[in-house]
Amino acid sequence: MAQSTLVIGAGIIGSAMAWHLAEAGCKVTLVDPSDAGGEASGRSLGWTNATYENPRFYYALRRFSMERWDALKATYPELPYRRNGTLYTSFYGIPLKTVYDEHTPWGYPLSWVGAEQMQKLEPNLAVNVDEALICPVEGHVAPHKAAIFFRQMAISAGAKFLRSNARSVLCKGNVITGMRTDDGDLTADTTILAAGVHTGTLAKSAGIDLPLTAPPGLLIHTKPAPPLISRTILTENLHMAQWPDGTITAGGDFGGGAVNDDPDSGARILFERLQNTLKADKPLEYADHTLGLRPTPKDGFPVIGSPAKGLYLTVMHSGATLAPAVGALATDEITTGQRHALLDPFHPDRFHTQGDR
Ligand SMILES: Cc1cc2nc3c(=O)[nH]c(=O)nc-3n(C[C@H](O)[C@H](O)[C@H](O)COP(=O)(O)OP(=O)(O)OC[C@H]3O[C@@H](n4cnc5c(N)ncnc54)[C@H](O)[C@@H]3O)c2cc1C
C-alpha cells in the first residue's frame, strides 16, 4: 500500500516535498491556511548560491541543489528560475580572496575580473573597486512562484491541497500518527513539518525542542525599469537582482541595526543606496518593501530529518537555494527509511531534540 504523508506548510520547501513525495508514489496531503506560496518564500531575494555560511558539507548540499535547479529548468522551462550568475564586489565583510581560496579547491567556478572587465559585464554598476569575483553557475529564483509551481505539480501527481491550519500532532505512544487541524484530524504514516518559522511551535506539540531563530530581512522592490543589471550583484552594502519583468529587488546589511523596528526608514536607506549604485537614464521608481523572517535553526544550518517515528522536519534558511535538493533527498529518506549521506549533517539529532513526550 502507498505510504501516506502529510506535509504541513506550502512554502517552497513544503511544496517541493509534496511534489517529490507524490512523484514517488506516496499519498500526499499538503496543508496550509494560505495559498500564497509561503511567508518567507514570498519575501526572499531568491539568490541560489553555494558560498553562504560554508563548511564543506553545507557547500555539497547547496551545490547539489543548484544542479537540481538547472536540471528542473531544462525539463520545465516555465519554472521561475534562471542561472544568471553573480558578480561579487564584496561579500558581507568576508574578504573576496577568502571566498575564492575556500571554494575553488572544491571545484566551484569563481573567477576574478578587473575593473575594466567588470564595467563591460555590468556597465550600469557605479561601484569603484579594482577587482571582483564572478560565478556563472549561481542563479535567481522567485521562491513563492516556484512554490506555487511545485504545488501545482504535486496536485497533478495526485497530491491533495487542504487549506487549513495545523494545530498539534497526534501521537500513539511514541509514534506520531498525524495532525490535528482546524478541519479535523488527519492521519498519515509520516507527518512532515515544513511550516517555516512556525515549525518550532508544531514540533513542540510532539515534545520536540527545536531551537529556531527568525532573523528579519528587509527587501525593497522597484517598479519595472529597463534592463540595468543581468547578474545578481553583491556590493559592500547592497545585494540586488533584476527580475525578467524589469523590477529590481535589493536588500542590505544594516550592521546589526534593528530594521524590523522601523522598516520604512530602512527601505528609504536601501532605495537611496540602490539609486547611488546603479546608473539609470530614467530615475528608478520605488514600489514597496517586504520584511520577511528567515526560518533559521540556532546553529545556522538546515534541520532535515526524522526526530521521532512518524515525524520528519524540514526547516532552513537558504530554502530558495535548497528546495530541489531537500524535496528529492528527504523524499528518498522517507520512502526508503535510510539516511542519505548528504543530509546526515543536518539531522535534528544534533540538537538532542527529543523532549519529554
Ligand atoms: C529577506 C529574505 C531574503 C532571503 N534570501 C534568500 C536567498 O537569497 N537565497 C536563499 O536560498 N534563501 C533566502 N532566504 C531564505 C528562504 O527564502 C527561506 O529559507 C525559504 O523561503 C523557506 O521556505 P519555507 O517553505 O520553509 O517557509 P515559508 O515560505 O515561510 O512557508 C511556510 C508555510 O507554512 C505555513 N504554515 C505556518 N504555520 C502553519 C500551520 N500551523 N499549519 C499549516 N501551515 C502553516 C505558512 O502559511 C507558509 O505558507 C531569504 C529569506 C528572507 C526572509
Side-chain angles (χ1 to χ4, degrees):
M1 209 168 65
Q3 193 176 348
S4 59
T5 57
L6 267 179
V7 183
I8 309 302
I12 193 168
I13 297 296
S15 299
M17 289 298 302
W19 178 28
H20 284 84
L21 287 163
E23 286 278 330
C26 295
K27 205 172 143 230
V28 180
T29 306
L30 177 62
V31 182
D32 196 309
S34 143
D35 61 5
E39 293 171 11
S41 305
R43 295 164 186 159
S44 170
L45 181 66
W47 172 43
T48 59
N49 69 86
T51 45
Y52 194 75
E53 300 271 353
N54 254 354
R56 186 153 189 182
F57 61 84
Y58 196 26
Y59 167 84
L61 184 66
R62 298 176 79 98
R63 196 71 190 92
F64 176 83
S65 205
M66 289 163 69
E67 284 168 5
R68 297 277 310 179
W69 273 121
D70 290 342
L72 286 178
K73 181 72 181 181
T75 313
Y76 305 101
E78 67 276 33
L79 196 64
Y81 161 80
R82 66 206 164 115
R83 198 172 85 169
N84 58 330
T86 303
L87 175 85
Y88 297 72
T89 70
S90 182
F91 190 59
Y92 304 113
I94 300 170
L96 289 182
K97 184 174 178 321
T98 307
V99 178
Y100 180 89
D101 288 348
E102 272 178 12
H103 293 85
T104 51
W106 298 338
Y108 202 50
L110 288 165
S111 52
W112 292 103
V113 289
E116 204 176 310
Q117 200 184 347
M118 189 178 95
Q119 276 308 303
K120 278 194 192 133
L121 293 172
E122 295 292 350
N124 298 311
L125 191 62
V127 173
N128 212 352
V129 290
D130 292 336
E131 56 184 5
L133 281 177
I134 52 168
C135 181
V137 295
E138 293 177 358
H140 190 213
V141 64
H144 65 297
K145 289 187 186 157
I148 292 165
F149 177 85
F150 291 155
R151 189 176 69 212
Q152 283 310 330
M153 295 300 285
I155 292 168
S156 303
K160 281 193 197 136
F161 178 52
L162 176 66
R163 276 191 70 167
S164 189
N165 187 51
R167 290 185 167 277
S168 57
V169 300
L170 303 170
C171 314
K172 217 178 235 171
N174 278 339
V175 180
I176 307 304
T177 55
M179 189 53 82
R180 176 146 296 164
T181 75
D182 285 356
D183 296 273
D185 290 354
L186 302 172
T187 56
D189 298 321
T190 307
T191 299
I192 296 121
L193 301 185
V197 294
H198 308 281
T199 306
T201 312
L202 293 170
K204 193 98 189 152
S205 72
I208 307 274
D209 189 14
L210 182 64
L212 282 187
T213 62
L218 180 69
L219 294 174
I220 56 160
H221 313 278
T222 70
K223 293 187 178 166
L228 290 171
I229 49 174
S230 53
R231 292 164 188 76
T232 302
I233 294 181
L234 273 68
T235 71
E236 195 184 347
N237 58 17
L238 211 58
H239 39 255
M240 65 192 123
Q242 187 165 25
W243 300 94
D245 70 0
T247 58
I248 298 171
T249 295
D253 191 356
F254 285 81
V259 287
N260 47 332
D261 290 343
D262 190 0
D264 290 339
S265 78
R268 277 194 295 276
I269 294 170
L270 282 178
F271 188 55
E272 208 177 292
R273 286 183 192 169
L274 183 66
Q275 287 169 308
N276 294 334
T277 306
L278 292 181
K279 297 178 234 164
D281 289 338
K282 264 179 57 189
L284 291 172
E285 291 181 83
Y286 179 83
D288 58 6
H289 66 262
T290 47
L291 185 64
L293 299 178
R294 303 175 168 101
T296 311
K298 201 170 113 194
D299 61 3
F301 298 114
V303 166
I304 309 165
S306 171
K309 197 160 171 21
L311 188 68
Y312 198 94
L313 305 177
T314 51
V315 57
M316 68 209 70
H317 178 53
S318 289
T321 301
L322 295 171
V326 175
L329 301 176
T331 291
D332 257 18
E333 288 201 341
I334 290 165
T335 53
T336 64
Q338 305 289 316
R339 279 167 74 158
H340 194 288
L342 271 179
L343 294 187
D344 217 38
F346 306 103
H347 197 277
D349 276 0
R350 70 183 190 274
F351 292 126
H352 307 290
T353 43
Q354 201 65 53
D356 53 2
R357 179 169 44 83

